[in-house]
């Protein structure tokens, strides 16, 4: 949080069919619908999140991710980071307050991998869902499905990773927590954080810009991951891989797809990092184990299926 | 529900598919692997095939992978088509992604170095 970027705040996901998508993210994953807007977008949040929404669904004919937003400390930080992004040479677009309901003004920019990001300082504070602010109970009793705890991170595929690393570390103050290096010294994967979490955002190299690999949500325990797997079977949801463990971050995980083919992850555990930690390095020849610690095999679907 | 035969001309495989079942799901159900399985939701384009013969119904698919001009030539995603007659299909070649290429190359380099 060196430069005042606090945390992932929201992600806008494109879906082919809104009704199916809402069922997936609420009934199956346990997110809560908090609003809809005139454009037909649906706003969702996980129960421990204090702001009004973290996931926005938009219906269109091409699945994927429109943008991911980070919340910064305050308006002053937003002003100074906007100038820093401009000084870096990025074009910055101002999105007025309330373009997303309940969200203050946003500053949008597209990095060299072809992904759009936003910074914002204000969003309607609605508090944790289903528990009181004072003397809160452990958890709300009426949560559905996987009972996702929070929107945790996104993983994107695209080109020009060195430029992306430069913006995220030097302008936005992220810390490189984990990386995958090829034999020629190229960084083919970079996991970046503004917190103690092993990643708030990650990138893997691909020649094609702007691709979404997955959107990830945190669960409390390995047992919850197993229960998520049960629910995936019960609902005949398209599964990718898991439950298993990652080598990278060492998180315990399962991957599956929403009804439009956007990959979702729920996971528990994972390592922590501080700014004085050196990046954890995996080598490309061990990429199979880096991704799926038990299988230790390169999984083509996991590496190439994107929206 | 009527059942139809799906014949994959590229691989020589054939399997049965109900009219309310996607071609990809029917293929997976009998354990065949003649079409690559991706997201199963019309989003990733992994299971793209060309339908050479036979009528089918079509669900929503990503325009990025099936633009109108491709659809006009019978290119569809196997996870989103439901047969209304016996089908003859063929595979559409996939571009290889850079990460898989790099990792495979790294593995070969290491294997060589260990000899
Ligand atoms: Fe992840």
């Amino acid at each position: 949080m060196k430069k005042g970027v606090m945390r992932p705040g929201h992600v806008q996901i494109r879906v082919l069919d809104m009704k199916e998508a809402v069922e997936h993210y609420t009934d199956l994953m346990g997110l809560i619908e908090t609003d809809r807007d005139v454009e037909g977008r649906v706003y969702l949040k996980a129960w421990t999140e204090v702001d009004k929404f973290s996931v926005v669904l938009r219906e269109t004919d091409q699945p994927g991710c429109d943008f991911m937003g980070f919340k910064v400390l305050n308006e002053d930080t937003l002003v100074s980071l906007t100038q820093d992004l401009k000084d870096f040479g990025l074009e910055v677009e101002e999105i007025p307050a309330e373009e997303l309901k309940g969200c203050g003004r946003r500053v949008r920019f597209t990095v060299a991998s072809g992904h759009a990001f936003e910074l914002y300082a204000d969003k309607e504070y609605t508090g944790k869902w289903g528990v009181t602010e004072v003397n809160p109970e452990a958890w709300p009793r009426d949560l559905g499905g996987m009972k996702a705890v929070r929107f945790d991170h996104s993983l994107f595929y695209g080109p020009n990773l060195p430029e992306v690393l430069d913006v995220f570390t030097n302008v936005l103050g992220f810390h490189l927590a984990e990386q995958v290096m090829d034999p020629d010294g190229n960084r083919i994967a970079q996991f970046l954080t503004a917190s103690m979490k092993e990643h708030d955002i990650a990138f893997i190299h691909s020649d094609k810009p702007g691709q979404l690999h997955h959107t990830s949500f945190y669960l409390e325990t390995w047992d919850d991951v197993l229960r998520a797997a049960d629910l995936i079977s019960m609902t005949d949801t398209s599964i990718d891989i898991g439950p298993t463990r990652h080598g990278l971050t060492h998180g315990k995980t399962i991957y599956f797809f929403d009804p439009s083919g956007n990959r979702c992850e729920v996971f528990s555990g994972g390592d922590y990092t501080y700014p004085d930690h050196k990046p954890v390095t995996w080598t490309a020849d061990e990429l199979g184990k880096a991704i799926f610690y038990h299988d230790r095999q390169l999984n083509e679907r996991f590496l190439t299926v994107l929206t | 529900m009527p059942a139809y035969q799906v014949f994959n001309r590229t691989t020589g495989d054939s399997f049965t598919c109900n009219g309310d079942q996607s071609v990809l799901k029917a293929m997976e159900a009998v354990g065949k692997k003649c079409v690559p399985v991706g997201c199963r939701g019309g989003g990733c384009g992994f299971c793209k095939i060309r339908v050479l013969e036979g009528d089918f119904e079509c669900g929503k698919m990503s325009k990025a992978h099936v633009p109108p001009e491709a659809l006009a030539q019978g290119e569809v995603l196997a996870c989103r088509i439901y047969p209304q007659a016996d089908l003859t299909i063929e595979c559409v070649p996939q571009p290889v992604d850079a990460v898989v290429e790099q990792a495979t190359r790294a593995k070969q380099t290491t294997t060589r170095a260990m000899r």
Side-chain angles (χ1 to χ4, degrees):
Chain A
M1 211 178 74
K2 270 182 298 189
K3 301 273 174 83
V5 177
M6 272 195 295
R7 58 173 171 81
H10 56 238
V11 65
Q12 183 165 302
I13 299 169
R14 299 189 298 267
V15 299
L16 292 170
D17 183 297
M18 186 57 80
K19 188 171 168 287
E20 289 179 6
V22 170
E23 274 172 26
H24 174 92
Y25 287 97
T26 59
D27 295 350
L28 177 62
M29 298 194 65
L31 301 184
I32 297 120
E33 183 178 329
T34 58
D35 211 345
R36 293 186 179 223
D37 66 22
V38 287
E39 291 170 59
R41 291 182 297 185
V42 176
Y43 298 54
L44 308 166
K45 72 180 274 181
W47 77 269
T48 67
E49 293 168 345
V50 294
D51 289 347
K52 175 172 171 169
F53 64 86
S54 61
V55 174
V56 180
L57 302 175
R58 180 170 78 88
E59 186 178 277
T60 179
D61 55 14
Q62 184 178 334
C65 176
D66 281 331
F67 53 79
M68 177 179 178
F70 294 96
K71 192 176 191 186
V72 305
L73 274 177
N74 50 38
E75 177 63 22
D76 286 350
T77 310
L78 187 57
V79 170
S80 69
L81 284 174
T82 304
Q83 190 56 50
D84 294 346
L85 288 165
K86 286 179 183 165
D87 293 346
F88 185 85
L90 286 174
E91 253 176 66
V92 167
E93 186 190 350
E94 298 272 352
I95 317 273
E98 291 301 315
E99 194 276 337
L100 279 169
K101 284 165 86 174
C103 190
R105 73 181 189 93
R106 291 130 63 203
V107 169
R108 189 181 294 171
F109 55 99
T110 301
V111 299
S113 59
H115 299 95
F117 293 100
E118 299 182 344
L119 304 178
Y120 67 94
D122 292 306
K123 196 183 280 181
E124 188 184 337
Y125 192 101
T126 51
K128 291 183 184 180
W129 185 87
V131 293
T132 50
E133 203 171 318
V134 178
N135 305 328
E137 300 299 350
W139 36 263
R141 275 174 293 178
D142 37 4
L143 287 170
M146 299 177 187
K147 309 177 188 193
V149 173
R150 64 166 183 258
F151 162 51
D152 189 88
H153 63 268
S154 295
L155 171 59
F156 296 113
Y157 269 47
N160 306 315
L161 294 199
E163 287 96 313
V164 175
L165 182 67
D166 197 10
V167 179
F168 271 87
T169 55
N170 295 322
V171 181
L172 300 175
F174 281 63
H175 159 68
L176 179 66
E178 306 223 355
Q179 57 185 358
V180 179
M181 305 299 288
D182 80 3
D184 305 325
N186 301 308
R187 189 175 289 105
I188 59 172
Q190 54 200 26
F191 286 50
L192 295 151
T193 183
S195 65
M196 282 181 66
K197 287 158 51 198
E198 211 59 2
H199 52 340
D200 285 323
I201 183 160
F203 296 89
I204 290 185
H205 172 79
S206 165
D207 294 334
K208 198 176 153 204
Q211 302 177 92
L212 170 67
H213 186 272
H214 69 264
T215 311
S216 184
F217 298 84
Y218 183 75
L219 300 182
E220 213 174 313
T221 66
W222 166 239
D223 230 47
D224 294 325
V225 177
L226 214 62
R227 202 178 149 277
D230 295 340
L231 286 162
I232 288 166
S233 283
M234 288 177 197
T235 53
D236 197 25
T237 297
S238 174
I239 189 165
D240 191 13
I241 298 151
T244 182
R245 184 194 285 279
H246 287 301
L248 284 151
T249 77
H250 296 128
K252 289 154 280 190
T253 179
I254 185 164
Y255 286 95
F256 51 103
F257 295 98
D258 80 7
S260 308
N262 296 301
R263 189 186 277 96
C264 296
E265 175 186 34
V266 290
F267 79 105
S268 69
D271 298 332
Y272 68 88
T273 187
Y274 280 109
D276 64 333
H277 289 203
K278 286 183 190 169
V280 173
T281 301
W282 284 82
T283 54
D285 61 310
E286 291 283 352
L287 189 62
K289 187 176 176 182
I291 296 175
F292 295 115
Y293 190 65
H294 303 144
D295 255 12
R296 287 168 279 149
Q297 302 273 337
L298 275 184
N299 181 310
E300 209 201 333
R301 179 165 65 205
F302 189 79
L303 288 170
T304 52
V305 169
L306 305 158
T307 52
Chain B
M1 185 51 68
Y4 303 102
Q5 280 302 111
V6 179
F7 173 62
N8 184 334
R9 202 180 71 169
T10 311
T11 63
D13 287 279
S14 54
F15 53 90
T16 304
C17 183
N18 292 332
D20 62 350
Q21 198 178 24
S22 80
V23 165
L24 196 74
K25 189 149 192 159
M27 181 203 77
E28 283 197 277
V30 295
K32 298 225 183 239
K33 294 185 170 144
C34 61
V35 176
V37 179
C39 71
R40 307 181 186 90
C44 74
F46 219 50
C47 65
K48 194 187 269 191
I49 55 170
R50 193 173 292 116
V51 178
L52 303 168
E53 261 180 62
D55 287 339
F56 56 88
E57 272 176 12
C58 203
K60 289 179 180 174
M61 301 178 289
S62 173
K63 221 178 185 164
H65 298 291
V66 189
E69 57 273 22
L71 191 58
Q73 295 183 14
E75 284 186 15
V76 288
L77 304 181
C79 66
R80 285 299 207 215
I81 65 159
Y82 305 86
Q84 303 300 305
D86 289 350
L87 300 182
T88 303
I89 64 172
E90 69 179 8
C91 297
V92 179
Q94 288 286 321
V96 180
D97 194 85
V99 178
V100 179
E101 236 167 34
Q102 270 167 320
T104 313
R105 194 164 51 81
K107 195 112 203 164
Q108 282 159 355
T109 313
T110 321
T111 316
R112 264 200 305 277
M114 285 189 307
R115 276 197 202 121

